[in-house]
Amino acid sequence: MNQEVTDALDARIDQIWKKMEKLPEELEFSCGKWPPEWEKPFSEAQVAKWEETYKVRLPEDYRRFITTKAGGGSQPFYGLCSLTGRDMKKMLEEMEVSKPFPYTLDKPLIIFNMTEEEQEAYFNEDDEETGGGFIPLCTEGCGMDSILVVSAQDEATYGTVWFFDLANDFGIAPMRSQETGKPFSFLDWLEYWVDFTISHGPSDYFSYGELTGPFSGEEDEK
């Protein structure tokens, strides 16, 4: 990563970090501990060893954040997962993270769009094709998670953040900006949570699933 890119990431990260000073003192739907508590960042050597072990290169914005600001924390929702945390270790035991992510931005997994036959075939498979290629970012509870793609054959899909909800028969779909339609990166994902929390009341609630656009089902409800 060249210095220009590093400087741009550092400026964006510092901007988001400064915004956190405006977070409310109380939050009704905080899930994890509030006010947020952040773990110390990882060293470059620790992250490089993790990448070597699992044969992936972490997206640069995520990598820069966890090596300069925080390796994990008590927010968003139930907390930003750490590379060495329990949730991460459990996931790494269950799947091969270096295996390419099986979906693309144009072809996500949307269960309610499947026919009954397709759903039956999918859920009867011994190894559901959630594949590999991602790490967890946080859980909202009830099986609703945010994940970060860290290995993908499709260049545009690498480094994007997806809403993962098989428990409620939704599927796996990319999060996008509601203004531009641009897929979320890690910093987009984090900044959205900060901005929403600052601009809404302490009892207001959102789900990252709302950012899956036409896949969220909201259009059908209107």
Side-chain angles (χ1 to χ4, degrees), residues 18-205:
K18 189 172 182 60
K19 282 185 179 183
M20 290 187 189
E21 297 175 1
K22 300 179 182 179
L23 289 170
E25 294 182 2
E26 297 182 359
L27 192 66
E28 184 174 337
F29 294 107
S30 63
C31 298
K33 190 169 184 179
W34 192 271
E37 292 185 356
W38 301 100
E39 301 173 13
K40 68 178 183 178
F42 291 102
S43 68
E44 283 287 341
Q46 287 174 310
V47 172
K49 183 177 180 180
W50 190 96
E51 291 174 323
E52 181 181 4
T53 298
Y54 295 104
K55 299 179 176 60
V56 295
R57 173 69 181 184
L58 296 172
E60 296 297 350
D61 63 335
Y62 171 76
R63 196 179 195 280
R64 191 67 180 170
F65 181 85
I66 65 171
T67 55
T68 62
K69 291 298 183 184
S74 66
Q75 293 294 320
F77 290 97
Y78 285 98
L80 177 63
C81 295
S82 166
L83 289 181
T84 57
R86 180 180 61 184
D87 291 343
M88 186 75 70
K89 289 179 179 179
K90 180 180 178 181
M91 187 215 70
L92 293 172
E93 290 172 356
E94 296 174 349
M95 78 169 201
E96 186 178 350
V97 71
S98 63
K99 182 179 178 182
F101 192 62
Y103 310 109
T104 66
L105 297 172
D106 296 328
K107 294 182 179 179
L109 173 68
I110 307 299
I111 293 173
F112 62 73
N113 282 348
M114 292 179 173
T115 65
E116 290 186 10
E117 291 77 13
E118 289 172 332
Q119 290 183 16
E120 183 176 355
Y122 175 77
F123 286 112
N124 283 339
E125 289 179 359
D126 291 334
D127 182 16
E128 295 173 5
E129 291 187 4
T130 55
F134 67 88
I135 60 172
L137 289 178
C138 82
T139 184
E140 299 177 24
C142 300
M144 299 181 291
D145 303 328
S146 294
I147 62 172
L148 176 65
V149 178
V150 299
S151 177
Q153 292 181 338
D154 177 55
E155 184 178 347
T157 302
Y158 173 78
T160 56
V161 179
W162 291 52
F163 186 66
F164 185 109
D165 182 10
L166 299 180
N168 301 292
D169 294 340
F170 167 73
I172 310 172
M175 299 179 199
R176 295 179 182 271
S177 165
Q178 294 175 314
E179 288 74 33
T180 67
K182 177 187 173 184
F184 266 19
S185 67
F186 168 76
L187 291 181
D188 294 330
W189 173 84
L190 184 65
E191 189 166 22
Y192 183 88
W193 163 75
V194 176
D195 287 343
F196 184 96
T197 307
I198 292 171
S199 62
H200 290 70
S203 62
D204 289 333
Y205 172 83

